[in-house]
Amino acid sequence: MEKYRGRSSATAMHAPEHRNHSNNFGHRALVVVTNLRKTYGTTVAVDDVSLTVREGEIFGILGPNGAGKTTTVESIAGLRTPDGGTVRVAGLDPRKRRAELTSLVGVQLQASELPERIKAREALQLYASFYPNPADPDELLERLALTGVRDTAFGNLSGGQKQRLSIALALIGNPKIAILDELTTGLDPQARRDTWELVKQIRDSGVTIILVTHFMAEAEYLCDRIAIIDAGRVVALNTPAGLVDAARGGERISFRVQGELDETVLKALPAVDSVTYETGRFVVTGNYNLLVEVVTELAARGLPPRDLHTEQTTLDDAFLALAGRDFEGANR
Ligand code: ADP
């Protein structure tokens, strides 16, 4: 069982889970992290993290800077020794089975970790030599749209090309699991979109992906399930839709009407919780059926709503509900 903060909404965030029927991933637990704890001196990097990554999914680890995301995935990759709790990857303890783990888990290098003068193809060939059963460097270059720059020095690649090369290096050992950390930081919107499509293709080719990000839209777009981590703890774990649904306190719509409308008419509708009238607009809250009931009632009275707005709940709202502060604010 994961432990949560004492906010009542946190429990609701976990159940029921919404299945993503578009993905045929299995349910075998490939990575199981139980009560992971890691401190650096007096800094508690990871306080208590439990999560399970299933085979074939894109699993997001989302949270503000300093939340403990990188320490968590480095523990999964066997690069950190936990102070408490356990990590199992395909049943193996990453610290004790280094050799097997290296072929099982590919970790994306931070772009800055390569020498400026190494050429794209050379880097892939070099890394291929470290693995017992590597992918073909030329095929990977092709797949990641890097064939045209295979003889270009790393220092002369664009930001998007460097990022794609770092993904290629994560995949060169033919891993079952790829850990991608802050994948699209610093990329322009087009390069970011292209990278997202690439990540989906990699998953479709059978690689399970753990994606670390502090970027909401990325997690929402790419991930099958997301663990939201804040201050070293999992505060929610669900599908993107599940997180948003659980955060949704209710629907809210606002509109004007031309003509006279008594608030009590709206208040009498079963889906409606509250009605206020501010500066010429009705603001109505209620359950999922709110919009249909209100519009039907108004139409029946010959008072079609004008300038109708509905409010969409986002992952930002989910984070706000869980952590008690807004996500962008937490990142500052
Ligand atoms: P995130 O990836 O969510 O930004 P990290 O796991 O990198 O978070 O860091 C969590 C906390 O642990 C931060 O306060 C960070 O400063 C601290 N930390 C991370 N790595 C080290 C380290 N090697 N030595 C000391 N403190 C560290």
Side-chain angles (χ1 to χ4, degrees), residues 1-15 46-51 59-64 67-69 72 216 226-238 242-243 246-247 315-325 327 330:
M1 259 308 278
E2 283 143 358
K3 295 205 179 128
Y4 318 115
R5 295 203 167 164
R7 291 186 146 259
S8 57
S9 55
T11 314
M13 294 283 175
H14 291 255
V46 175
D47 186 9
D48 185 357
V49 164
S50 298
L51 53 87
F59 187 90
I61 297 186
L62 174 74
K69 306 183 295 297
T72 300
M216 288 271 177
I226 298 170
I228 297 184
I229 296 192
D230 189 32
R233 285 172 167 260
V234 176
V235 293
L237 200 164
N238 209 327
L243 289 170
L315 261 188
D316 285 290
D317 299 314
F319 186 82
L320 179 65
L322 286 160
R325 64 193 197 286
F327 189 81

Side-chain angles (χ1 to χ4, degrees), residues 20-267:
N20 184 344
H21 293 289
S22 65
N23 297 314
N24 253 339
F25 52 80
H27 290 283
R28 194 165 83 94
L30 205 49
V31 176
V32 181
V33 176
T34 312
N35 301 121
L36 177 68
R37 182 174 172 86
K38 176 73 186 170
T39 56
Y40 298 103
T42 55
T43 306
V44 180
V46 175
D47 186 9
D48 185 357
V49 164
S50 298
L51 53 87
T52 298
V53 180
R54 298 173 189 152
E55 186 165 22
E57 71 179 339
I58 302 179
F59 187 90
I61 297 186
L62 174 74
N65 288 329
K69 306 183 295 297
T70 299
T71 307
T72 300
V73 292
E74 285 179 346
S75 304
I76 293 170
L79 303 170
R80 303 269 167 224
T81 308
D83 295 315
T86 55
V87 177
R88 291 290 177 270
V89 178
L92 306 175
D93 180 340
R95 294 303 286 177
K96 297 196 174 130
R97 308 287 285 275
R98 291 289 309 140
E100 286 123 304
L101 209 81
T102 310
S103 350
L104 210 56
V105 181
V107 183
Q108 183 199 11
L109 288 176
Q110 294 302 313
S112 58
E113 289 174 34
L114 280 179
E116 291 283 296
R117 293 174 67 181
I118 196 165
K119 293 172 182 162
R121 188 159 181 261
E122 280 172 358
L124 278 169
Q125 284 171 332
L126 175 66
Y127 278 78
S129 72
F130 303 153
Y131 295 96
N133 178 30
D136 176 352
D138 290 326
E139 268 178 29
L140 262 187
L141 286 167
E142 184 72 38
R143 203 165 137 205
L144 291 155
L146 290 168
T147 304
V149 293
R150 66 182 184 183
D151 294 320
T152 302
F154 177 72
N156 293 333
L157 298 175
S158 72
Q161 289 163 345
K162 282 181 177 165
Q163 211 70 315
R164 294 207 298 283
L165 180 59
S166 72
I167 297 170
L169 290 169
L171 299 176
I172 191 70
N174 264 329
K176 265 185 99 61
I177 304 165
I179 296 180
L180 308 176
D181 195 344
E182 299 297 353
L183 180 73
T184 62
T185 301
L187 295 188
D188 65 54
Q190 185 56 48
R192 176 171 281 161
R193 282 260 152 204
D194 292 346
T195 307
W196 289 355
E197 293 316 314
L198 188 64
V199 171
K200 289 198 164 182
Q201 285 167 22
I202 294 165
R203 187 273 298 283
D204 291 346
S205 74
V207 180
T208 301
I209 293 174
I210 302 178
L211 182 81
V212 175
T213 184
H214 69 274
F215 185 30
M216 288 271 177
E218 182 163 292
E220 195 161 7
Y221 180 74
L222 275 181
C223 297
D224 298 300
R225 293 187 309 141
I226 298 170
I228 297 184
I229 296 192
D230 189 32
R233 285 172 167 260
V234 176
V235 293
L237 200 164
N238 209 327
T239 59
L243 289 170
V244 168
D245 273 4
R248 202 196 303 267
E251 302 284 333
R252 184 182 153 104
I253 61 175
S254 72
F255 55 86
R256 298 177 192 281
V257 288
Q258 226 168 27
E260 259 184 55
L261 174 67
D262 190 336
E263 280 181 25
T264 55
V265 169
L266 297 172
K267 282 183 178 152

Side-chain angles (χ1 to χ4, degrees), residues 271-293:
V272 171
D273 289 335
S274 75
V275 182
T276 50
Y277 185 74
E278 297 160 7
T279 57
R281 295 183 71 79
F282 287 94
V283 179
V284 187
T285 65
N287 70 21
Y288 64 95
N289 218 16
L290 181 71
L291 183 64
V292 170
E293 284 190 13

